[in-house]
Every structure is written in C-alpha cells, then in structure tokens.
Amino acid sequence: AQSVTQLGSHVSVSEGALVLLRCNYSSSVPPYLFWYVQYPNQGLQLLLKYTSAATLVKGINGFEAEFKKSETSFHLTKPSAHMSDAAEYFCAVSVGTGGFKTIFGAGTRLFVKA
Amino acid sequence: KAGVTQTPRYLIKTRGQQVTLSCSPISGHRSVSWYQQTPGQGLQFLFEYFSETQRNKGNFPGRFSGRQFSNSRSEMNVSTLELGDSALYLCASSLESVGNTDTQYFGPGTRLTVL
C-alpha cells in the first residue's frame, strides 16, 4: 500500500536560512508525488509535482524538490526562507489509475523567525 | 477564472442531524474530490467523482456519501452526525485525472462543527 511519511511535525528556521522539509514515500509502483502548502483558514495550494519526468522539480515561490528513488524520498527545499513561507506543508502521493486517490502525509508546520 | 467554491464556509450541527456540503469546481473541470481534515487524522480522502460517477472511495463509513451533477458541481452528505465528524471538509477539482498527474485545485473548505 502506498503511504507518505513526513519527518518532523514542526520545523523552525530563521529568515534567510535554508528550508528543508522531509518526505519519504512507500509505493509499489512508480509514484506521482506532490507538495502542497496550506495557509491558515485556507485550502491547499500545489507547490510542485513529480510525474516521472525530471527528478529535480521546481515549483512556485522558489521551492524545489528532488525525487530520489534509491532513498524513496521527495524532500522539499528553499534556499532562503521568507516570513511569508510560514504555513503547513503536505507531501502527498497519488495512487491508482483512472482517478484520483491522493494519500497525504501528516503535514509539517514551518515557522520562520525574524 | 473563478476558483473552487464551497458552501457554506461554516456550519454548526448537533449529533444525529445530517448535513449537505456543496462544491462548485473550476469551470471545465470534470473531476471533484472530497477530503476530510482533522487535527488528529490529518487529511483523508473521502471520494472522487468524474462525469457523475464515483471513481474512487476512501475508508469512510456509509454515512458519508456524495454525488456529482451534470454541470460537475458536487455535494457530499453526512447522515447521523457524530462528534468525530467535526472537521474541515475540502473539495478539489481537476480537468481530468489521466495518470493521476493533473493538478488539483482546492477550495477554501467548509468548517463543520458537531455539538
């Protein structure tokens, strides 16, 4: 069965520092992987997605993620954190064919200190 | 282009009642998925509809049901509400879902509180 594990329910970084949010997946077939961001009282917004093309995926707001099959990882990074990056981030894997069944990780709340 | 809209945004019900939530997808989108978000369980998939047919279903009891209309608008219904049904219910739409790579666009959610 497919699953997603996000390491660290809370991550705190200083403004300007590197952001690294960890995600490991389990999938018996080549996965489609996603990172979403959720701001308070809002829905989810797609940051980026991996669909078996390039292993390094660039997303919005300066985020990127690298798919590493050998490590079953899809960590999200941003070189320099901004105060506006404070939010909850979800890693997700899409399973099945002919329709969506997205499995989300538990989420990582990112805090950015001034 | 207007985004995904969900109504109502907030709802308070009592145990045993039933509730219907509505989702209007982005114009032209044919797939609508529903998710439940709670602090304890996180984001959990409820079901997905495409062209008025339920294509995928999560592990929720039969009290949770949904449907999709010919204009792609979708409703979900929860009968015999329990306290544990208190959650943010999110709807997401996408054009198609061939290969599960289509981008899902999420609505702001409906916050349901069961007293």
Side-chain angles (χ1 to χ4, degrees):
Chain A
Q2 284 80 358
S3 66
V4 172
T5 302
Q6 291 184 242
L7 301 175
S9 58
H10 297 84
V11 170
S12 182
V13 300
S14 298
E15 194 173 20
L18 171 72
V19 175
L20 170 60
L21 304 182
R22 299 176 188 273
C23 172
N24 287 90
Y25 69 90
S26 171
S27 176
S28 56
V29 298
Y32 297 123
L33 295 161
F34 307 80
W35 274 101
Y36 289 89
V37 62
Q38 185 177 34
Y39 297 99
N41 300 315
Q42 294 187 28
L44 278 69
Q45 181 183 11
L46 181 70
L47 280 175
L48 49 81
K49 61 182 178 182
Y50 167 75
T51 59
S52 73
T55 56
L56 182 62
V57 183
K58 294 188 183 300
I60 61 171
N61 302 338
F63 285 94
E64 63 181 39
E66 186 171 8
F67 173 71
K68 291 187 176 180
K69 185 177 178 181
S70 61
E71 299 177 8
T72 61
S73 69
F74 190 57
H75 301 330
L76 181 71
T77 60
K78 181 174 181 178
S80 176
H82 191 272
M83 297 296 287
S84 61
D85 295 327
E88 186 145 26
Y89 292 80
F90 294 91
C91 182
V93 61
S94 185
V95 303
T97 56
F100 271 116
K101 184 173 181 176
T102 304
I103 309 299
F104 285 87
T108 297
R109 184 164 295 279
L110 176 66
F111 297 92
V112 182
K113 300 175 290 185
Chain B
K1 197 183 255 189
V4 177
T5 58
Q6 293 187 245
T7 57
R9 289 294 311 277
Y10 301 91
L11 206 48
I12 298 175
K13 292 286 188 179
T14 56
R15 277 181 299 175
Q17 286 186 309
Q18 75 164 14
V19 67
T20 298
L21 311 182
S22 181
C23 172
S24 292
I26 291 172
S27 177
H29 286 193
R30 296 195 292 163
S31 170
V32 174
S33 297
W34 288 89
Y35 299 86
Q36 182 196 64
Q37 186 177 25
T38 60
Q41 300 298 318
L43 274 156
Q44 294 185 286
F45 173 80
L46 279 156
F47 28 66
E48 185 227 356
Y49 286 87
F50 183 83
S51 293
E52 302 179 64
T53 301
Q54 186 182 87
R55 278 208 297 199
N56 284 291
K57 190 176 187 302
N59 298 322
F60 279 81
R63 299 186 298 108
F64 291 81
S65 63
R67 59 178 175 169
Q68 187 180 33
F69 302 94
S70 58
N71 61 358
S72 294
R73 189 177 70 86
S74 177
E75 290 181 346
M76 69 162 281
N77 184 275
V78 188
S79 62
T80 319
L81 283 167
E82 300 177 359
L83 294 179
D85 296 333
S86 295
L88 180 67
Y89 290 89
L90 292 165
C91 164
S93 77
S94 63
L95 269 171
E96 308 246 4
S97 57
V98 175
N100 304 317
T101 61
D102 272 7
T103 296
Q104 290 189 84
Y105 295 86
F106 282 79
T110 293
R111 173 77 61 187
L112 172 64
T113 302
V114 182
L115 303 175

